[in-house]
Amino acid sequence: MDFGLVLQTDPPAWSVVERMRRAEELGFSHGWTFDSCVLWQEPFVIHSQVLSATERLRVGTMVTNPVTRDWTVTASAFATLNDMFGPRTVCGIGRGDSAVRVTGGHPTTLANLEHAMQVIKDLAEGREVQLNGTAVRLPWVRDGQLPVWMGAYGPKALELVGRQADGFILQLADPYLTRWMVDHVRQAARDAGRDPESITVCVAAPAYVGDDLAHAREQCRWFGGMVGNHVADLVARYGDSAEAVPSALTDYIKGRQGYDYSHHGRAGNRSTDFVPDEIVDRFCLLGPPEQHVAKLHELREAGVDQFAIYAMHDAIDATVDAYGERIVPALR
């Protein structure tokens, strides 16, 4: 199993660079950042410094979207980084959440996301695309490589992952839900004539190493609220039928009263009081190292290739160090 570190690009940006450098030393293979240009600093500027400060670490967005950036700009940014540092980037992408909602927008459609993923990948890898009836190509790209990993939860989004994406980003660490969603992705890949094993599966969720479970829960409860934004969209689309989406994912948002994006992804988010302890325990990895190892084994058996730590709490460095010293070696 590979390991990634997910950080928000809070200032000072050099702290993000240093933590990514340290993560590579500890055996992490990927460094990820949020992409929400109002709430945090510009990720691609910071990615260039992370790539410069590391030798093997792959760097990507978790996740960008097709709304706030022109698709040609996204493709050019990734292709430029790859030209400078080798093929070490991954385009994580989704319909859009905080980046679009914080400015009054809405997530894009799956049809638009599908088109955007193809255009970004083709341009970044040097192929010509048609945009608004015009042939477009990045003439300076040579032997480009850009894996595109898509974030998804619902049936139609999972089908799109299986049909088109190079990787699947699942933002929760519940083994039952992970298996359910991975199975859907793999079946969609088979239906599309693709090798289901060719799709990389990345589970991203908070991890907090320590014996004080109550404190760890409070530091990670924000994650249930973040996931709840996507779940609320699913319930609005599909209802609360367990046939479309498992009730193990949807039941907990019944007490949800809206969401304040000014506290997005942060411990102490007041918009996440509705999230019960059970959800925090299921969606996150908490407790001493041996409990993390046990759950990661379950996730690996469910088809997970990478676990990416959302490190947004009061023990970022201690948790990353504990993973590097105790947990990453146990899963290698």
Side-chain angles (χ1 to χ4, degrees):
M1 178 180 279
D2 286 335
F3 288 85
L5 175 62
V6 190
L7 297 174
Q8 295 165 340
T9 52
D10 285 315
W14 290 113
S15 68
V16 177
V17 176
E18 175 56 27
R19 281 175 166 148
M20 293 297 190
R21 186 198 63 76
R22 173 66 174 157
E24 181 183 66
E25 285 185 349
L26 291 170
F28 287 69
S29 62
H30 287 69
W32 304 93
T33 69
F34 282 28
D35 177 17
S36 207
C37 58
V38 172
L39 296 176
W40 297 286
Q41 293 184 326
E42 169 57 37
F44 286 103
V45 175
I46 298 171
H47 289 179
S48 69
Q49 295 298 320
V50 172
L51 288 163
S52 180
T54 56
E55 296 179 0
R56 301 170 303 281
L57 197 75
R58 292 183 176 270
V59 174
T61 47
M62 191 172 282
V63 292
T64 192
N65 68 85
V67 180
T68 56
R69 299 180 189 275
D70 185 274
W71 305 348
T72 61
V73 173
T74 301
S76 182
F78 279 113
T80 300
L81 292 174
N82 286 337
D83 188 63
M84 293 177 69
F85 300 104
R88 292 170 55 199
T89 66
V90 180
C91 176
I93 193 168
R95 294 174 56 229
D97 182 35
S98 63
V100 296
R101 296 190 203 260
V102 77
T103 56
H106 302 282
T108 193
T109 64
L110 286 175
N112 196 48
L113 176 57
E114 180 174 9
H115 188 199
M117 288 196 299
Q118 192 62 60
V119 166
I120 291 167
K121 184 176 180 67
D122 282 347
L123 287 174
E125 294 187 344
R127 293 183 290 277
E128 182 179 289
V129 302
Q130 290 290 322
L131 283 175
N132 304 314
T134 300
V136 179
R137 185 174 67 86
L138 301 182
W140 47 269
V141 174
R142 298 288 183 273
D143 302 320
Q145 297 178 40
L146 182 64
V148 176
W149 295 10
M150 178 183 153
Y153 293 104
K156 292 183 179 179
L158 296 171
E159 179 185 344
L160 176 54
V161 173
R163 187 170 69 247
Q164 181 174 332
D166 300 304
F168 170 37
I169 295 173
L170 174 59
Q171 296 176 92
L172 55 79
D174 178 279
Y176 166 74
L177 290 172
T178 297
R179 190 178 300 278
W180 187 89
M181 293 185 186
V182 170
D183 287 348
H184 276 67
V185 166
R186 287 178 171 167
Q187 185 57 54
R190 282 189 285 269
D191 292 343
R194 301 180 67 197
D195 176 6
E197 300 300 326
S198 69
I199 301 171
T200 303
V201 177
C202 174
V203 157
Y208 196 108
V209 179
D211 295 325
D212 188 342
L213 185 57
H215 180 73
R217 284 173 175 153
E218 289 310 310
Q219 287 293 304
C220 298
R221 196 175 305 276
W222 63 266
F223 184 66
M226 187 179 84
V227 173
N229 296 329
H230 303 286
V231 175
D233 285 346
L234 292 178
V235 171
R237 175 181 292 270
Y238 298 104
D240 55 7
S241 168
E243 294 181 4
V245 184
S247 58
L249 177 61
T250 60
D251 279 353
Y252 85 98
I253 70 160
K254 291 176 180 177
R256 183 177 180 269
Q257 299 291 325
Y259 191 82
D260 181 357
Y261 277 90
S262 66
H263 303 285
H264 185 60
R266 299 192 186 281
N269 187 336
R270 294 185 297 275
S271 300
T272 61
D273 291 345
F274 70 95
V275 180
D277 289 350
E278 177 204 0
I279 288 294
V280 183
D281 293 349
R282 282 173 44 207
F283 285 11
C284 305
L285 277 77
L286 313 174
E290 54 269 22
Q291 290 183 217
H292 290 248
V293 170
K295 191 166 186 178
L296 287 166
H297 277 297
E298 287 187 74
L299 290 169
R300 185 165 63 181
E301 290 172 5
V304 175
D305 301 298
Q306 179 182 151
F307 175 60
I309 299 173
Y310 272 127
M312 294 99 194
H313 48 57
D314 65 359
I316 296 173
D317 296 323
T319 292
V320 171
D321 286 349
Y323 261 73
E325 295 164 5
R326 301 278 302 277
I327 298 167
V328 172
L331 272 293
R332 286 277 168 82

